[in-house]
Amino acid sequence: MSDEIDPQGVEHARELLSEAGTVLVLTGAGISADSGLATFRGADGLWRNYRAQELATPEAFARDPRLVWEWYGMRREAAASCEPNAAHLALARFAIERDGITIVTQNVDGLHTRAAEMLAVEQPPAGEGRVVRADENKAARLPLELHGCLFRVRCTQCEARYGHREPIDASAVNTLPTCRSCSSMLRPDIVWFGEPLGQAIEIAFSVAQEADLCLVVGTSAVVQPAASIATVVRQAGGSIVEVNPEPTPLTSLAAVSLRGGAADVVPSLVG
Ligand code: BV8
Ligand code: ZN
């Protein structure tokens, strides 16, 4: 752990985590910064160079699906070439090893899921001649992906929704991916601005009502309704532990706010 992270804060956060029966972990783009992915709103943020309103809305897709797919194609390539970092892995292990842990992410990069999958096949205990899948005993404990996933698509016309990892050819409208069932155009399975979040947010809010602690990692906490998950935990009597190099609107509500990078700090909290 680097020197500037407050050791007393880390100790306090560890105590709160060990006392908590149920923990909701809320993550944002900052947790993937240490894997090399750009965040959205920082100095080098993705949306400094691209105007979100031109790309991450249903109106933008209706106007220019090729341009929107081109942008998502680039982001898929960037995410696919990254690896989960120490924070993703520590959280995946935490969720597998302890009951009562729910990981809720705003990220669409799939790195929490990949971390869980990397831990899902474990070495057999000595003397046992078979591989134990973590999901056979307690968990593959996949995260709740509030804003969707870059590697899933859904149909613009029918109900079809499925995984899609193949490269996107966005050179022309007629090379964009089409639905297996009805041949209509597919779109990224991403929640764009102005769109509802679906069942994941309902589950997240009901977990938040019961959670003893919300561990918030790497989010600017400005996008709603996701940011309210932490305030719901607080209002229901739970506490907030925050990990972020910068202060956020949640900092004043947090019992502990640790200034540091996710990959440095998170393993020291949940390891
Ligand atoms: C809805 C997907 C209703 C696309 C994304 C005015 C006030 C309040 C709300 C609104 C408003 N106007 C409009 C709204 C609502 C709107 C909203 O919240 N807007 C905000 C911007 C004001 N919300 C919506 O539209 C939502 N839908 O409300 O629907 C409805 C109901 C019924 C029926 C119809 C409609 C939909 C929200 C969609 C969110 N989708 N994008 C894509 O990804 O391509 S949001 C986008 O921001 C990202 O996807 C990401 O998930 C999300 C959150 O960002 P963060 O993850 O926090 O990232 P950010 O860059 O901001 O911050 C990074 C942080 O990391 C920083 O704090 C930094 O310090 C830190 N960091 C950096 N390095 C590290 C680090 N931390 C740790 N370690 C490090 N190493
Ligand atoms: Zn279809």
Side-chain angles (χ1 to χ4, degrees), residues 71-91:
W71 189 56
Y72 280 100
M74 284 163 41
R75 291 182 50 208
R76 282 159 61 109
E77 279 174 31
S81 66
C82 287
E83 296 298 324
N85 65 50
H88 296 106
L89 290 166
L91 289 172

Side-chain angles (χ1 to χ4, degrees), residues 155-160 179-186:
C155 182
T156 53
Q157 297 300 324
C158 77
E159 298 299 305
C179 178
R180 289 175 196 155
S181 308
C182 75
S183 303
S184 301
M185 192 182 288
L186 290 169

Side-chain angles (χ1 to χ4, degrees), residues 10 18 55 68 75 90 96 119 137 147 157 173-174 176 194 218 220 245 266 268:
V10 169
S18 71
L55 295 162
V68 173
R75 291 182 50 208
I96 286 171
L119 298 182
N137 40 42
H147 295 159
Q157 297 300 324
V173 175
N174 62 9
L176 297 177
S220 58
V266 171
S268 69

Side-chain angles (χ1 to χ4, degrees), residues 10 40 71 81 99 121 177 184 193 217 223:
V10 169
F40 292 90
W71 189 56
S81 66
D99 284 327
V121 178
S184 301
F193 286 102
V217 183
V223 172

Side-chain angles (χ1 to χ4, degrees), residues 17 33 35-36 52-53 72 91 123 131 141 161 169 186-187 193 196 217-218 234 261 265:
L17 279 156
S35 292
Q53 294 304 315
Y72 280 100
L91 289 172
Q123 289 306 307
V131 171
R141 294 287 159 86
R161 190 179 229 130
D169 180 354
L186 290 169
R187 57 164 279 182
F193 286 102
V217 183
R234 187 75 191 83
V265 180

